[in-house]
Structure formats: structure tokens, C-alpha cells
Amino acid sequence: MLKYNKRNLVLSEMAICLVISLVLKYEFVLFKMLNGGSVTLELVPIIIFCLRNKFKFGILLIIIKEFFKILVNFHIPPAANVGYIILSILLDYFLSNFCILLIYFFNKFLKNNISIILSLLAKFIIHFISGILIWNSYEISIKNSLKISFFYNISYSFPEICIIILVLKYSCILDFLEKTKIKRSD
């Protein structure tokens, strides 16, 4: 029987999830919104990976994925000055996707479905905050910044959250992971 190295197995799974995620992001866009933003299934492989592996591997996967996204399709945020642009990049690319890692925390207390929903809502909140900062950089009133950011981000985040949950639930992936308690990384 062949012996395998657990780290190599996890890194291989990470590479596969990364490629699938990027393909889902750029080649299988479900629909694009008029003002920007799109609904994709890019987070499905990331969520599955996070449910199966340790936190440190989840962090590594998200960092690599976000650097690939920056290299492949980087758009400078429409902020008024450099400080807001840098802050927006950190929030939109990295911090928002690190919210997916909240699955590790929520999974200790809640079922997979609820932990995924809470993680995706946290991701929405970070995008919402980033939008507020971008619109405030143009000296728009805070009330209008809140409205613009909320409606822009909810227009693609809500459908994406719903579709991701439906795909994970009705593809039986979550049931399988919960019943078999597959947690490979020691």
C-alpha cells in the first residue's frame, strides 16, 4: 500500500480548490449586475476546503486566491485618494474573504448551514463598509453613502449567498461532510 504525506494531500486539494474557484469566478459567471459585481459560485470550493481542513490551510488558500485575482483581473477601486484605494483593496480583496474563515469558529457551536450563512453575511458587511469608505472619499453625506453601499452590495451578495447555500445544501455536500465528519488535517 502506498504511503501518503498528509501535507501533500492537503496542498493538492488546495490547488484543486483554487483552480476550480478561479474557473467559477471568471468562466462561469451566473450573472453580472448593471453597476458591477457578479454572482458566481467561486466560494463553493473554498467553503468545502475550509470545512475539511485546518485553519492555517484555509488562510493560505484565501491569500493565494486573492493574489491570483489581483494578478488576473485587478480593478482600481473608484476612491478619491490613494489612502482610500489601499484601504478598499485590503477590505474588498483580503479581509472580506478572510470572513469565510469564520466557518472555523462558528462550526464549533453551530451546524454547517448556519456557520456558512454567518460567514457570508460577515463578508457582505466588509464589502458594505468598504463601499461606505469609497463613497465618503467623495465627500458624499454619510446617509447617502450608506444607501449607495447597501443597495450596491446587497444586489449581488444576497443572490450569491442564497445560490451558494442552495448548491451546497441540495448537492448533499454539507450532509455528507456532517455525517462522515471528514476532517483530514491533523
Side-chain angles (χ1 to χ4, degrees):
M1 190 162 131
L2 293 173
K3 261 188 155 179
Y4 66 90
N5 183 334
K6 286 183 182 181
R7 178 171 288 171
N8 289 344
L9 191 62
V10 171
L11 291 176
S12 298
E13 184 180 343
M14 184 186 301
I16 291 167
C17 287
L18 175 66
V19 169
I20 292 170
S21 177
L22 292 173
V23 167
L24 289 172
K25 171 71 177 168
Y26 295 113
E27 298 300 324
F28 294 101
V29 175
L30 299 176
F31 51 92
K32 289 188 178 192
M33 297 303 180
L34 296 175
N35 294 327
S38 59
V39 175
T40 69
L41 294 174
E42 77 169 302
L43 293 176
V44 171
I46 305 301
I47 290 169
I48 293 169
F49 182 86
C50 289
L51 289 171
R52 290 175 45 90
N53 295 289
K54 280 190 166 184
F55 184 76
K56 65 182 177 181
F57 294 116
I59 290 174
L60 182 60
L61 175 61
I62 288 174
I63 289 171
I64 293 169
K65 180 177 84 75
E66 293 310 310
F67 276 119
F68 267 111
K69 282 173 57 178
I70 288 171
L71 288 172
V72 170
N73 195 19
F74 179 67
H75 297 288
I76 296 175
N81 63 45
V82 177
Y84 283 109
I85 290 172
I86 292 169
L87 191 56
S88 179
I89 290 169
L90 290 173
L91 287 171
D92 282 337
Y93 280 95
F94 293 99
L95 189 58
S96 68
N97 286 289
F98 283 142
C99 287
I100 300 305
L101 297 173
L102 290 173
I103 288 173
Y104 291 105
F105 172 73
F106 292 135
N107 241 5
K108 293 178 182 176
F109 311 105
L110 305 166
K111 286 189 167 201
N112 285 343
N113 294 346
I114 306 299
S115 63
I116 292 168
I117 291 169
L118 290 174
S119 299
L120 292 172
L121 286 175
K123 184 179 188 296
F124 161 75
I125 290 168
I126 298 298
H127 284 300
F128 175 61
I129 292 168
S130 176
I132 292 169
L133 293 174
I134 287 174
W135 291 109
N136 267 347
S137 71
Y138 290 108
E139 298 181 9
I140 295 176
S141 71
I142 189 72
K143 184 178 173 184
N144 288 335
S145 295
L146 287 167
K147 284 182 194 175
I148 293 168
S149 181
F150 178 79
F151 288 114
Y152 168 74
N153 286 299
I154 202 74
S155 71
Y156 71 90
S157 293
F158 181 72
E160 188 170 69
I161 290 169
C162 292
I163 291 170
I164 287 172
I165 293 300
L166 289 172
V167 165
L168 288 170
K169 183 66 178 168
Y170 291 107
S171 65
C172 302
I173 293 170
L174 293 180
D175 293 337
F176 175 75
L177 290 174
E178 214 163 280
K179 286 179 184 170
T180 57
K181 298 291 183 197
I182 293 179
K183 292 270 188 188
R184 213 184 27 242
S185 303
D186 293 80

